Amino acid sequence: MRNGGPKVGVVIGSSSDLEKIAPVLDTLKEFGVSFEIAVISAHRSPEKLVRYAQCLPDRGIEVVVAAAGLSAALPGALAALVDVPVIGLPVAAGPLNGVDALLSIVQMPPGVPVAGVGIGAARNAALMAVRIIASHDESLRKKLAALRESMASSIDTQNRAVKEKGLTTWQDPGECIRE
Ligand code: RP5
């Protein structure tokens, strides 16, 4: 499975998270990065989490996006079991709307790091996974550079649209002119 198997593991704490993490899957597809998805709960199926973690390094999975809501033990519990980088994606759920999950992810005690993105920031979670893999993948680096260019070009388009409203706008000189 090392070659040709999935490079990214996407783990969700419940199938109720699936819709909210759809941009993770869309973004990985956009970049042509292979992935697999698993529903594993740190509190409802702890033995499954241990089995998942134990098999992970030998399967060639390079990074995991672990999404969970409420107290969100999943990303930290997984990171406690393996050294494969874990990106925690807090899902908005329950009375605190994801703030609880965010804090569970970013407040990991020293020694067990979980990379955290914002509440519901599914695209950023996937882009971080892509960046990690791109550190040794030239073709992914080119795709990331193309994304950066397209975002810059969309800002140019937005500036033109603002100018067309008749507002006085800053004219980007391309470089800073000092007198
Ligand atoms: C977490 O609890 C899951 O990640 C989900 O966001 C939340 C609610 O889960 P369900 O009760 O909908 O299964 O473990």
Side-chain angles (χ1 to χ4, degrees), residues 10 17-31 35 65 89 120-127 130:
V10 179
D17 296 324
L18 193 54
E19 203 177 321
K20 294 170 190 165
I21 63 104
V24 173
L25 314 185
D26 293 342
T27 303
L28 293 173
K29 283 181 202 158
E30 174 188 329
F31 279 82
F35 63 88
V65 175
L89 169 56
R123 180 161 170 81
N124 266 3
L127 286 173
V130 171

Side-chain angles (χ1 to χ4, degrees), residues 65-89:
V65 175
L70 302 178
S71 70
L74 177 63
L78 180 57
L81 292 162
V82 283
D83 291 328
V84 172
V86 175
I87 301 165
L89 169 56

Side-chain angles (χ1 to χ4, degrees), residues 12-17 20 41-44 67-72 74 91-93:
I12 52 178
S14 166
S15 63
S16 67
D17 296 324
K20 294 170 190 165
S41 167
H43 57 284
R44 290 171 177 155
L70 302 178
S71 70
L74 177 63
V91 169

Side-chain angles (χ1 to χ4, degrees), residues 112-157:
V112 182
V114 172
V117 294
I119 300 165
R123 180 161 170 81
N124 266 3
L127 286 173
M128 183 57 77
V130 171
R131 284 181 176 209
I132 288 170
I133 298 169
S135 65
H136 64 81
D137 186 326
E138 170 77 25
S139 72
L140 281 184
R141 286 202 292 279
K142 284 185 180 152
K143 289 178 186 173
L144 284 167
L147 172 64
R148 189 184 300 273
E149 278 169 29
S150 90
M151 287 191 294
S153 146
S154 100
I155 291 296
D156 288 341
T157 307

Side-chain angles (χ1 to χ4, degrees), residues 46-117:
E47 289 94 353
K48 192 185 282 295
L49 180 64
V50 170
R51 283 195 299 279
Y52 179 80
Q54 284 171 341
C55 301
L56 201 56
D58 290 336
R59 298 181 49 237
I61 289 186
E62 297 181 36
V63 52
V64 173
V65 175
L70 302 178
S71 70
L74 177 63
L78 180 57
L81 292 162
V82 283
D83 291 328
V84 172
V86 175
I87 301 165
L89 169 56
V91 169
L96 301 184
N97 273 325
V99 173
D100 39 6
L102 174 69
L103 294 178
S104 296
I105 287 167
V106 299
Q107 290 297 110
M108 282 299 292
V112 182
V114 172
V117 294

